[in-house]
Amino acid sequence: MRLRELAASRSGDKGDVSNICVFAYDPADYPLLVERLTAERVQAHFGALVEGGVVRYELPRVHGLNFVLDRALGGGVSMTLRADPHGKAYQSLILDLDL
Amino acid sequence: MPGGAPGPLVLASGSAYAEDRLDAVEAMAASGRAAYLGFDCLAERTLALAQVRRLADPSAGQDRRIAALVPLLRSHLAAGRRVVGNFGAANPDAARDDFVRALKEVGLPGVRIGVVHGDEVRLLVTALDAELPELGTTVGALGDRVVSAHVYLGADGIVDCLRQDAQIVLGGRLADPSLFVGPICHELGWELDDWDRLGHATMVGHLLECGVHSTGGNYEDPPYRVVPEPWNLGFPIAEVEDGAVTITKLPGTGGAVDAMTMKTQLYYEIHDPAAYLTPDVTADFTQVEVEDLGADRVRISGARGHARPDTLKVLVGIDQGWRATGEMSWGGPGCVERARRAEEVLRKRLEPYAAELDEVRVDLQGVDSLFGVRMAGGYPSEVRLRLAVRTTSLDVARTAAHETELLYFGPAGGGGNVTSVVPAIGVTPAYVPRELVPVRTEVSGS
């Protein structure tokens, strides 16, 4: 099952660090996200796009997870030559993850 | 009026960054809903680019929308309501002058304007030879390449101006949430070391600072996520009480205020949700509860806070030369192969400049530009090549961009060349002791 069917997401940037938060539409799906959407799987899914590590924070009261991806934006918004300097599209890439 | 009038304090967002639309401001002002309108005018790279404008012209470097904005704010200001914004960017005094001029033109002279000074700290970081941890070097090692250094200032200067009856408060790098924390603490009589209340006020600021990001902007993903009338997104309005806030928007505007639009904004650009660092507080959003009240109203509570950090974050702008881009499209059968061949042509043509090119990147948009090659399906019907380079030589930057135009003589059928060359200003953080950053306020009539 694709994450997109279960969750909404948003990505933001601070320097070369991207954060992607993910929220279950149905609170009943939150435990599944906690079990399957691990930092390791997100790191593998993003592959070479992330040069540093991935840290996950759990947000049980709002049925969400927050991922912080280090060195993930090619140097940050004002330096990077990437087509999407803010990594705004990352929120869509994470939703392509097959749970 | 600390202690204030009965009922919640109402604040609203008018802008989320320097290029934001202004067409919603007039209706917000005319509605009379908000005692305060907050205007965030900055993003990470905005200030460094504003500093470059100021270096070229000492009267420039401020937000460029003030003359257009003031007529839209007329009814808000005429009613005695207040405005707070980081309109100053790299030149707060010039922003003040723009306000004075525009207020006279709309027939509102004598409005008290407060200016918060102190965010420009280039001399300080130079004297300290401040470390630049993300680059592994120091300010001194970069010498003349450091073009700007601005520290994120908190709510204290804003509160100071409001206490002096400023009706408009502006500054340079006033931290985004602090634009709202200042008015909240002033109006509700909260002390600036009341950490849980500061955490709550910062949460309100975070929900307002990004404008329509809270109300359905950057949100739709049909069919899973859809909002009404996204062409007319309403800006967020906050009704602030002790310990809770209700977020809403003007009737008749598009977008949505519901639990999901609030949650996606609440944790946007937050790293550790237990320790969101601002100049005002170490905010803790781990216990936040979001309650959908229906009819575009959401009640949010549970933010906490701990003592503010001892250091203040500085964004240091570094001259990285030029960033040049050039694009060309190919379509039809074999378009990806022809675009790949064009990439080969470009890379060969750029070989003579290799020593001066700090970074070169070629993407095929529609194939690999966002995520690398991850396509499970077949080839697209069209593809757009994008070359991007970074170099300290303006000539090399122009030459590289022009090479994409010459692809009209490359693989068959290339069309639609577009090029650009812009300054590349890197921004990187530094941290300085809070006590070394004096904040000065200046309040006077327009």
Side-chain angles (χ1 to χ4, degrees):
Chain A
M1 178 180 292
R2 280 237 186 124
L3 181 60
R4 181 168 177 245
E5 294 166 43
L6 302 183
S9 61
R10 174 164 298 169
S11 49
D13 73 302
K14 271 199 199 314
D16 201 10
V17 181
S18 173
N19 96 289
I20 311 173
C21 49
V22 174
F23 300 92
Y25 288 118
D26 181 348
D29 291 327
Y30 178 64
L32 183 74
L33 300 191
V34 173
E35 183 197 328
R36 308 260 178 98
L37 195 59
T38 61
E40 292 72 25
R41 290 200 64 190
V42 171
Q43 177 109 45
H45 185 64
F46 277 72
L49 292 170
V50 180
E51 294 172 52
V54 174
V55 174
R56 184 182 87 167
Y57 297 96
E58 295 178 22
L59 300 162
R61 286 175 185 254
V62 288
H63 316 109
L65 297 169
N66 188 34
F67 295 91
V68 179
L69 287 57
D70 192 30
R71 288 190 288 134
L73 295 168
V77 60
S78 57
M79 281 277 287
T80 183
L81 298 184
R82 294 187 186 180
D84 172 21
H86 297 91
K88 297 277 187 192
Y90 279 179
Q91 63 174 295
S92 303
L93 178 56
I94 202 169
L95 295 185
D96 190 44
L97 203 144
D98 191 354
L99 291 176
Chain B
M1 44 167 193
L9 171 66
V10 182
L11 308 93
S13 162
S15 163
Y17 75 120
E19 308 295 333
D20 206 349
R21 53 187 267 245
L22 292 180
D23 61 350
V25 172
E26 195 162 23
M28 185 71 89
S31 75
R33 283 291 303 275
Y36 284 80
L37 284 175
F39 290 80
D40 184 11
C41 307
L42 299 173
E44 274 200 0
R45 61 180 164 180
T46 320
L47 247 181
L49 291 171
Q51 194 71 45
V52 169
R53 293 205 310 275
R54 186 179 184 172
L55 289 171
D57 172 2
S59 70
Q62 72 278 42
D63 190 274
R64 292 180 278 196
R65 300 171 297 172
I66 295 169
L69 177 65
V70 168
L72 307 178
L73 284 172
R74 197 186 182 290
S75 62
H76 181 81
L77 293 168
R81 295 188 289 266
R82 305 211 228 198
V83 169
V84 179
N86 42 28
F87 300 103
N91 200 342
D93 288 326
R96 187 189 181 284
D97 293 345
D98 285 354
F99 266 106
V100 170
R101 243 189 319 273
L103 286 163
K104 281 198 177 120
E105 278 182 22
V106 299
L108 285 176
V111 173
R112 283 174 69 77
I113 303 176
V115 180
V116 181
H117 294 281
D119 65 307
E120 218 277 81
V121 291
R122 196 164 146 201
L123 291 177
L124 175 66
V125 297
T126 303
L128 291 174
D129 193 16
E131 283 186 39
L132 303 172
E134 287 188 5
L135 299 184
T137 182
T138 67
V139 166
L142 293 172
D144 291 347
R145 289 176 60 204
V146 173
V147 295
S148 67
H150 291 89
V151 67
Y152 284 87
L153 295 182
D156 41 356
I158 297 169
V159 169
D160 195 52
C161 289
L162 294 173
R163 280 187 185 142
Q164 297 174 64
D165 289 325
Q167 197 184 348
I168 296 170
V169 180
L170 66 91
R173 186 56 279 188
L174 300 169
D176 309 358
S178 305
L179 299 170
F180 301 94
V181 173
I184 292 169
C185 289
H186 174 71
E187 293 291 335
L188 301 181
W190 295 352
E191 298 296 333
L192 292 177
D193 60 357
D194 186 343
W195 305 124
D196 280 337
R197 285 187 165 124
L198 265 284
H200 176 51
T202 295
M203 180 187 76
V204 175
H206 187 60
L207 290 168
L208 292 180
E209 73 182 65
C210 289
V212 300
H213 256 107
S214 282
T215 55
N218 188 19
Y219 181 75
E220 290 200 292
D221 186 13
Y224 297 95
R225 293 179 253 166
V226 182
V227 303
E229 297 185 31
W231 47 88
N232 180 33
L233 296 172
F235 278 69
I237 300 168
E239 301 167 359
V240 185
E241 305 161 71
D242 202 357
V245 60
T246 302
I247 305 288
T248 185
K249 65 185 182 69
L250 284 186
T253 59
V257 176
D258 59 33
M260 199 57 96
T261 57
M262 286 302 108
K263 290 196 279 188
T264 47
Q265 174 56 30
L266 188 56
Y267 295 94
Y268 170 70
E269 295 187 343
I270 299 279
H271 292 171
D272 180 353
Y276 175 49
L277 303 176
T278 80
D280 299 317
V281 66
T282 300
D284 178 352
F285 296 164
T286 56
Q287 307 301 309
V288 169
E289 306 265 5
V290 179
E291 186 189 354
D292 204 333
L293 305 178
D296 287 315
R297 291 178 67 79
V298 176
R299 181 180 161 89
I300 308 166
S301 59
R304 301 278 181 266
H306 308 286
R308 64 192 193 181
D310 293 331
T311 55
L312 293 173
K313 179 175 171 178
V314 182
L315 271 190
V316 179
I318 299 160
D319 182 355
Q320 302 279 10
W322 303 91
R323 192 156 53 164
T325 58
E327 300 179 6
M328 188 75 100
S329 287
W330 283 266
C335 61
V336 174
E337 285 80 358
R338 279 175 286 137
R340 295 274 187 221
R341 186 69 170 155
E343 174 179 356
E344 203 180 335
V345 171
L346 273 180
R347 290 192 184 275
K348 277 273 183 230
R349 298 277 299 173
L350 291 177
E351 269 176 12
Y353 312 102
E356 290 173 281
L357 289 167
D358 295 322
E359 197 179 352
V360 176
R361 181 182 176 101
V362 178
D363 296 301
L364 298 192
Q365 296 188 332
V367 178
D368 64 2
S369 76
L370 291 177
F371 310 133
V373 178
R374 280 159 197 278
M375 289 206 327
Y379 276 166
S381 62
E382 64 174 61
V383 59
R384 189 155 177 86
L385 175 146
R386 175 179 179 275
L387 166 78
V389 306
R390 194 158 47 74
T391 168
T392 53
S393 162
L394 180 57
D395 282 345
V396 170
R398 286 176 173 152
T399 299
H402 183 65
E403 282 296 341
T404 63
E405 182 176 325
L406 297 180
L407 291 172
Y408 281 124
F409 309 113
N417 177 248
V418 170
T419 64
S420 89
V421 176
V422 296
I425 305 293
V427 289
T428 195
Y431 300 88
V432 296
R434 173 186 291 278
E435 62 271 16
L436 297 183
V437 180
V439 176
R440 186 170 60 82
T441 61
E442 191 181 346
V443 180
S444 55
S446 63

